[in-house]
Amino acid sequence: MDLDRRSLFSGALRHRGSQQSDAEQLALKQKYQARLKEVEAMEPLSGLSLPTLLVEHRLSRRNFMMWASAMTAALMLPPIFEKQVAEAASLLNRVPVIWIEGQDCAGNSEAFIRSAGPTVEELLFQTISLEYHETLMAAAGFQSELRKQTAAQMYKGKYVLVVEGAIPQGESGAYCTIGAAGQTFYQEVQQLSAGAALVIGAGACAYYGGIPKAYPNPTNAVGVSSVVSGTPVINIPACPMNPINFVGTLIHYILTGAAPALDSTGRPIWAFGNLIHNNCERRAHFDAGEYVQQWGDLGAQNNFCLYKMGCKGPFTYNNCSIVRYNEGTNWPIGVGHGCIGCSQPEFWDTLAYERPMIDANIHAPGIAGLGVEAGADKFGLGLLAVVGVGIVAHAIASAAGGREKVPAAVSSSNTDAPSGGTTEKKEGE
Ligand code: SF4
Ligand code: SF4
């Protein structure tokens, strides 16, 4: 993560800390310091330490501090907490983690392990004391079962349980059994969550059921929050979840010993508190009514807004437009495809199709006044409400009164128009 990315974070995210007085920040810093001392006194559980891994992978301390600086901004903390975030990251080897998988593709695990060069998040993942992970561990059969049970007993009340994948409830859970004893995944989640300090739902399937829960949901799959009771659940959706959001959640846990502030669906507000539309690099084109109309047109060549190609950014809460993927290399909209809303509940049934949720060419009497000038939050919530009552075809851009522009070469045969040139499209055309 480079310095540019740090400034991008700082600019795009409103620091929660900036709303606090100096005295409040100082009190919080002291609280974090006391907690860090407590964690530091614990025995390291993993043989791998972050400083050693940084040296092995030729990542300098400066690189790491730049990463810590960006992570601090991502957590919506002011810069005075950077040192503590770095310290918390180096203490991740004190956290025992049990990672189980049900109905999934292992994409969230792979998000950590499949890249050309290790990112800081990947190195941190190596330092975590991963007591059990079906996909990554060498043990199999009864041996791995024993490993899981031993870890659950040894670290009772202290371990973080990561659940990846949906949980089928149909046929008494028989659609997904785990291990040599054939226990259902449903039972496994219930038993292991009861002894955990915290449960993390990793990815879209653990969040709301993902693909397994999509219509007609033949296995009666559900997300982890529907199965766990009595232990805090933090959902980190997206398909896959972004490693930075997972590591950030663990760092927050090390700093505070608790779950971060969550929204009504259990997602950390620091990561899922903003619509991606608010921080999208194509937003100026949306505001100007400049859209890609078909794949490969001049609008696409000029990185116009993808709303008409089905982008669901105005309905999707996530920080991917800021933190991006693969160490900030890029994200779906950056490479030319609209958002399919992968961090929203039930997105396979409601958002993942390549057409606009609401037809941008037709006026929308039911949402009068909700044009492109509307604030994105109002826009997203308003449209979701409209869809919720079953009204399907409505306008957004044209609600602003003939403001829509389309690339000249697309709207007519005028291929002489300058690249990226636009033609005013009059109301009613
Ligand atoms: S509709 Fe999609 S592409 Fe357009 S500005 Fe919003 S998030 Fe970006
Ligand atoms: S752009 Fe949309 S679909 Fe893509 S990762 Fe972000 S939230 Fe998910």
Side-chain angles (χ1 to χ4, degrees), residues 56 64 83 109 119 273 281 301 388:
E56 265 176 28
F64 174 61
K83 220 174 136 226
S109 297
T119 62
E281 64 229 31
Q301 289 166 36

Side-chain angles (χ1 to χ4, degrees), residues 414-427:
N414 179 15
T415 49
D416 292 327
S419 174
T422 56
T423 305
E424 285 289 344
K425 190 175 180 189
K426 298 198 172 50
E427 195 174 359

Side-chain angles (χ1 to χ4, degrees), residues 102-105 164-169 175-176 185 204-223 239 346-349:
Q103 286 180 309
D104 75 323
C105 65
E164 184 177 358
I167 303 149
Q169 293 180 307
Y175 289 109
C176 184
F185 189 54
C205 298
Y207 176 43
Y208 253 82
I211 285 185
K213 195 188 173 192
Y215 180 81
N217 189 7
T219 65
N220 192 17
V222 293
C239 191
E346 323 279 9
F347 82 101
W348 284 112
D349 289 334

Side-chain angles (χ1 to χ4, degrees), residues 276 316 318 320 325 331-333 339-343:
I276 69 167
T316 303
N318 200 343
C320 54
Y325 278 87
W331 67 303
I333 289 174
C339 168
I340 59 169
C342 74
S343 55

